[in-house]
Amino acid sequence: MKKFTLAVVGLVAALALAGCGNDKSEQAAAKGAMQAQQTFEWKLVTSWPKNYPGLGTAPERFAKNVEAMSNGRLKVKVYGAGELVPGFEVFDTVSSGTAEMGHSAAYYWKGKIPAAQFFTAIPFGMNAQEVNGWLHHGGGMELWQELYAPYNLIPAAGGNTGVQMAGWFKKEINSVADLQGLKMRIPGLGGEVLSKLGGVPLSLTGGEIFTALQTGTIDATEWVGPYNDLAFGLNKAAEFYYYSGWHEPGANLEFLINKTAYEKLPKDLQAIVTAATRVANQDMLDEYTARNNSALEQLKSKHNVKLRAFPPEVMQALRQANQEVLTELAENDQQVAKVWQSYQAFLEQVKVYHAISELEYYKNR
């Protein structure tokens, strides 16, 4: 009798546990079904004019891809600079959660995070291909995430313009002396290098550049390259167009994601957001590679732009000043030193291989 009673008790307990297991499974399934039906609407603010070629269309394409891949469960509305907030307020707007995402350039936040500049471009540094390698497979992304974590932000590479042009100048640059007192729109580390040589760097949003150059508020400006420069009509405000883009050899743009908003998404939507940023990152580089060629030809043949290269002595002075700027920054900021060490180590390795692969191929094709 005792054995029979114990057996019955065991059977009842097993059935009860089985029932609990089924309840949990059903609850998990119900929760999954509920998440699958839940919809989200996000705002994405940018530092560019609405639908501006390349820079402005990248977040628009991102939004369309996210909506399509999520079957409408996540919709992202994109706002151009000034539509919801000014272009230079993207970081704070996303950090606070007023908007769930942003699209901008990390060097705009150098006053808040000096090391952020390294995630847009370093003068005489890596090109787009190399930057993507460092970010996604060389430890760069982990450092970027570490920098933005205190601000409730998750960064993601948001496109690259490739090697830029050195900019538009109202007068020719024949010597280092011609940089003295030159008022130039050039943000980030490039601006600090110019300052070392006696220039006066200013940081302006894209929409402010043409008027500033036309009215003489600035004497020169860098922007991006032929594709975007033609769209802004910068050739109407300055006649000398210089290369190469020593200051931004691979200008990496960024997506900013509010961490709280991201963590509220189901796992599949999180994966979609991440995947869509990677698509946008590559797509922008493809677009600039395709469009810069014809735009440069138009600038030369239709608008008689005077294409110039900086004299070797000017380029050498810029290179030397850049080393001084980087050394000083690393000595005075631990975050900068940490990022610069990682960046420099990757650059030294990739330079060795690219010297016998990319560079050698360019020479021989």
Side-chain angles (χ1 to χ4, degrees):
M1 178 65 73
K2 184 176 182 181
K3 290 182 179 180
F4 176 76
T5 303
L6 290 173
V8 171
V9 170
L11 179 60
V12 171
L15 290 171
L17 287 172
C20 288
N22 288 336
D23 286 346
K24 288 181 179 179
S25 298
E26 290 173 1
Q27 289 174 0
K31 183 179 180 181
M34 186 179 298
Q35 287 183 330
Q37 294 175 358
Q38 190 175 4
T39 60
F40 300 84
E41 293 185 0
W42 279 14
K43 295 185 288 291
L44 190 161
V45 292
T46 80
S47 294
W48 332 113
K50 181 74 171 177
N51 286 315
Y52 187 72
L55 303 179
T57 53
E60 299 285 355
R61 290 171 184 158
F62 164 84
K64 289 180 180 178
N65 284 336
V66 166
E67 184 171 353
M69 288 190 287
S70 68
N71 197 28
R73 291 165 53 211
L74 175 56
K75 295 182 179 181
V76 181
K77 184 173 182 179
V78 179
Y79 295 86
E83 286 191 317
L84 193 61
V85 295
F88 284 159
E89 292 184 14
V90 169
F91 187 98
D92 291 337
T93 300
V94 181
S95 176
S96 68
T98 302
E100 289 79 10
M101 284 192 71
H103 190 258
S104 191
Y107 60 13
Y108 290 151
W109 329 128
K110 72 174 188 177
K112 190 186 301 290
I113 314 172
Q117 300 173 90
F118 287 71
F119 294 95
T120 299
I122 294 182
F124 302 100
M126 290 189 276
N127 65 18
Q129 181 179 342
E130 294 163 344
V131 166
N132 281 328
W134 174 59
L135 288 176
H136 298 124
H137 297 283
M141 186 58 70
E142 289 78 6
L143 292 171
W144 200 2
Q145 291 169 347
E146 184 180 310
L147 281 183
Y148 281 17
Y151 300 91
N152 196 38
L153 291 171
I154 300 171
N160 202 303
T161 64
V163 179
Q164 296 194 355
M165 293 292 283
W168 296 88
F169 295 75
K170 290 191 168 186
K171 66 176 185 179
E172 288 191 85
I173 305 298
N174 297 310
S175 68
V176 178
D178 290 329
L179 300 178
Q180 289 284 333
L182 184 81
K183 294 178 292 182
M184 182 175 183
R185 184 272 179 191
I186 178 169
L189 291 165
E192 297 184 39
V193 171
L194 179 67
S195 181
K196 275 276 183 186
L197 298 179
V200 182
L202 292 93
S203 189
L204 303 172
T205 61
E208 301 173 294
I209 293 176
F210 180 83
T211 301
L213 189 61
Q214 187 180 50
T215 59
T217 302
I218 55 177
D219 307 309
T221 184
E222 65 80 41
W223 178 225
V224 180
Y227 181 40
N228 281 158
D229 295 359
L230 180 62
F232 264 164
L234 297 180
N235 54 286
K236 299 175 184 177
E239 60 179 324
F240 297 103
Y241 198 25
Y242 275 85
Y243 64 91
S244 69
W246 60 273
H247 63 302
E248 294 187 29
N252 178 64
L253 284 303
E254 68 176 358
F255 281 107
L256 297 156
I257 307 168
N258 180 272
K259 184 180 179 183
T260 302
Y262 180 81
E263 291 177 344
K264 288 180 180 178
L265 295 177
K267 295 297 183 183
D268 64 327
L269 292 187
Q270 291 180 354
I272 285 172
V273 169
T274 300
T277 63
R278 289 294 290 268
V279 170
N281 186 55
Q282 183 61 49
D283 185 61
M284 182 187 288
L285 181 59
D286 297 345
E287 182 177 3
Y288 279 98
T289 302
R291 305 295 182 222
N292 274 328
N293 313 306
S294 59
L296 180 60
E297 186 56 37
Q298 287 184 58
L299 287 170
K300 292 191 300 181
S301 62
K302 293 185 179 180
H303 302 289
N304 300 314
V305 166
K306 297 176 181 177
L307 199 60
R308 298 283 190 273
F310 282 133
E313 68 167 279
V314 172
M315 198 61 74
Q316 179 57 36
L318 290 167
R319 190 180 295 109
Q320 179 60 40
N322 181 56
Q323 288 300 317
E324 294 174 11
V325 166
L326 291 172
T327 299
E328 291 170 6
L329 281 172
E331 288 176 348
N332 295 313
D333 190 298
Q334 290 184 350
Q335 288 183 324
V336 168
K338 186 176 181 179
V339 174
W340 175 226
Q341 182 180 13
S342 172
Y343 184 104
Q344 195 170 30
F346 191 90
L347 174 59
E348 290 306 311
Q349 289 182 7
V350 80
K351 276 167 62 177
V352 173
Y353 177 63
H354 278 179
I356 63 170
S357 57
E358 304 287 332
L359 182 59
E360 195 66 20
Y361 172 71
Y362 290 155
K363 285 163 55 180
N364 293 321
R365 72 177 176 185

